[in-house]
Amino acid sequence: LGQMRKFTRRAAAEDRVLDNVRAILIGVIIQSHAIPLLHGGPGMLDVGWRQLGSSWGPVQLFVLRLIRGGGWSSLALLNGFDDTRSMQPYALTYREPLFLVLWLALGFHWSMWYLPAFVLMRAIFCAAHRIGLEWAHVLLAAQAWIFLPAFVDLYIGWVPRPSKIPAECPSSVICPWEMWPQAQKIARYALGWWVDSDDPVGNSMLGHGMIFIPCYWIGFYFGGSIFKVLTHIADEPSVWRRMVVAAGVFALYLAMHASGRPVVQGYDDRPSSFWDPHGGFIYQQVLRNIAYFAMNLTMSLTYVVFIAAAVPIHLRYLAKVCFSSLICSAFTPCLLDLPAMALEIRKRLPAAVSPSAELAWVFTVPFLYELVVGALFAATLPPVAAAASRLAGTVGSLRL
């Protein structure tokens, strides 16, 4: 967003890693928004979540799930580190008001929930620093992922009620959505909060969305040490060595994705999972949830290391326009209906080559969209802004 940065000896190498990861991960996010996947099966859904009457192949489904496994948290970690390079790391900038304006202008679109959540997180984080309670804030806020779910139910009372969630709130826990009906609307517009009707725990807002906050903290406090390693890898002159690192990291990521299913399934942030029938606290659930968060962070780090090692060029321009393309993607579903496109390819190509062609298509189009739409947005915005400024000046002079 063009914010002022501190200049250091490693700034150029850091910029290359940040730009490459940002450009690639936002392309992956655009793709994941355009290809909804069912939690319990391979059925194909179009961009509007309507059944297409066909299914993804097992290899296709594995690749689609693999590619989106650790990307989102990686962006938050990079944002945390990038903010430490600011001239005022603990100050709000025009970024935060811009995010709120975009959230309003985009009609509170579900895919943009990160904008208000990030602003609220940054505002509280900076305020805690200014009053000298930064570490107390981090320690207290971390309990939202550790002990808070044992006492506060963030599912019961949500409308519409997911079929897997009880209708009544137990007397031993707090159910904010049921106790304060307006809380759902406030959370929806202030944080973009959701409760998935089909798989509320598997797509938990707290565990799978708001987890970006601890990742941001890690990037903010420990990103300098992490980026020393990343820039060393990215600056390695030997292509062979970089490819060895990329292959090793990819193998690790693949192993975690393939064998980490029990860890993912062990995550549960419903109060009922923390208490046995006799009222005893099940501390093992806390450990299972922490194990899930640790695996999520590790996969995010391997994602970043792989991109740093495997991409030898600087995707500077793509990184510059990727955010605007992400914003536009919410309003151009016809250009990103990738499952429907893949199904048309399947109808026209032989079965032997169709699966590979479909995957190639659904991975190429999001990045082509990112480049073309982002470039159009970048070319259109300056003259529109200049015209608006001239119009405002003319109206002001007429009033005078």
Side-chain angles (χ1 to χ4, degrees):
L1 293 173
Q3 298 183 84
M4 294 298 293
R5 298 293 184 211
K6 298 173 185 174
F7 183 79
T8 66
R9 229 186 288 179
R10 295 195 306 272
E14 292 169 351
D15 284 343
R16 187 168 70 254
V17 174
L18 285 165
D19 286 348
N20 288 353
V21 174
R22 186 178 293 120
I24 291 172
L25 289 185
I26 287 186
V28 171
I29 290 172
I30 291 173
Q31 187 215 47
S32 66
H33 287 169
I35 306 180
L37 296 178
L38 292 172
H39 297 293
M44 296 179 73
L45 306 174
D46 69 5
V47 71
W49 294 76
R50 294 177 292 267
Q51 293 276 357
L52 290 175
S54 188
S55 299
W56 296 105
V59 175
Q60 292 175 321
L61 190 62
F62 177 80
V63 172
L64 290 173
R65 292 193 186 280
L66 176 72
I67 202 67
R68 63 180 72 181
W72 180 247
S73 303
S74 305
L75 280 177
L77 188 146
L78 297 185
N79 284 344
F81 170 70
D82 204 19
D83 279 347
T84 64
R85 306 195 307 157
S86 171
M87 297 300 292
Q88 295 181 303
Y90 291 99
L92 300 179
T93 65
Y94 63 83
R95 174 184 59 181
E96 285 75 24
L98 174 62
F99 277 11
L100 292 180
V101 169
L102 288 174
W103 176 237
L104 293 171
L106 298 174
F108 309 106
H109 194 274
W110 66 270
S111 64
M112 298 291 121
W113 68 267
Y114 178 78
L115 299 178
F118 180 85
V119 171
L120 186 59
M121 179 275 296
R122 272 286 294 177
I124 296 174
F125 181 73
C126 295
H129 171 77
R130 287 185 177 275
I131 62 176
L133 296 176
E134 179 180 348
W135 284 104
H137 155 69
V138 171
L139 182 62
L140 183 62
Q143 305 315 306
W145 293 271
I146 301 174
F147 291 112
L148 179 71
F151 304 97
V152 179
D153 195 304
L154 296 173
Y155 300 101
I156 294 176
W158 188 268
V159 180
R161 180 175 68 88
S163 58
K164 299 178 183 179
I165 300 300
E168 296 184 2
C169 181
S171 59
S172 57
V173 301
I174 299 173
C175 302
W177 315 133
E178 183 179 85
M179 295 175 65
W180 304 289
Q182 292 301 316
Q184 175 175 336
K185 185 176 292 185
I186 294 172
R188 167 69 181 87
Y189 292 113
L191 283 171
W193 198 277
W194 76 74
V195 172
D196 194 312
S197 298
D198 298 324
D199 190 9
V201 177
N203 192 24
S204 162
M205 175 65 171
L206 183 66
H208 299 271
M210 302 302 286
I211 189 62
F212 85 87
I213 296 176
C215 292
Y216 177 91
W217 293 337
I218 292 171
F220 192 90
Y221 293 119
F222 307 107
S225 300
I226 295 171
F227 263 77
K228 286 180 182 179
V229 177
L230 293 176
T231 53
H232 180 74
I233 294 172
D235 288 339
E236 171 57 52
S238 171
V239 176
W240 168 249
R241 289 181 180 176
R242 286 207 312 271
M243 291 303 101
V244 168
V245 172
V249 170
F250 179 75
L252 176 61
Y253 181 85
L254 189 63
M256 286 190 291
H257 178 80
S259 62
R261 194 65 187 167
V263 178
V264 175
Q265 292 175 339
Y267 176 81
D268 197 331
D269 55 5
R270 294 172 296 182
S272 57
S273 66
F274 290 87
W275 304 96
D276 63 28
H278 305 291
F281 187 73
I282 306 174
Y283 70 89
Q284 292 90 339
Q285 187 58 50
V286 175
L287 299 178
R288 284 193 286 266
N289 288 358
I290 292 176
Y292 163 75
F293 295 138
M295 190 185 76
N296 186 299
L297 174 62
T298 304
M299 292 184 71
S300 298
L301 286 174
T302 56
Y303 215 115
V304 173
V305 175
F306 174 78
I307 294 174
V311 182
I313 59 175
H314 188 172
L315 303 175
R316 182 184 293 105
Y317 185 75
L318 195 60
K320 183 185 295 186
V321 302
C322 64
F323 183 68
S324 55
S325 66
L326 176 63
I327 294 172
C328 294
S329 67
F331 301 97
T332 55
C334 56
L335 297 178
L336 290 168
D337 197 355
L338 302 180
M341 297 177 190
L343 199 56
E344 290 300 318
I345 293 174
R346 187 176 301 178
K347 293 176 182 177
R348 287 165 171 77
L349 292 182
V353 298
S354 176
S356 300
E358 293 169 33
L359 278 180
W361 184 266
V362 301
F363 277 103
T364 302
V365 170
F367 290 98
L368 183 62
Y369 177 93
E370 188 179 4
L371 177 62
V372 174
V373 174
L376 289 173
F377 190 89
T380 305
L381 186 60
V384 170
S389 178
R390 287 196 297 270
L391 179 61
T394 302
V395 171
S397 63
L398 290 175
R399 287 180 178 178
L400 293 176

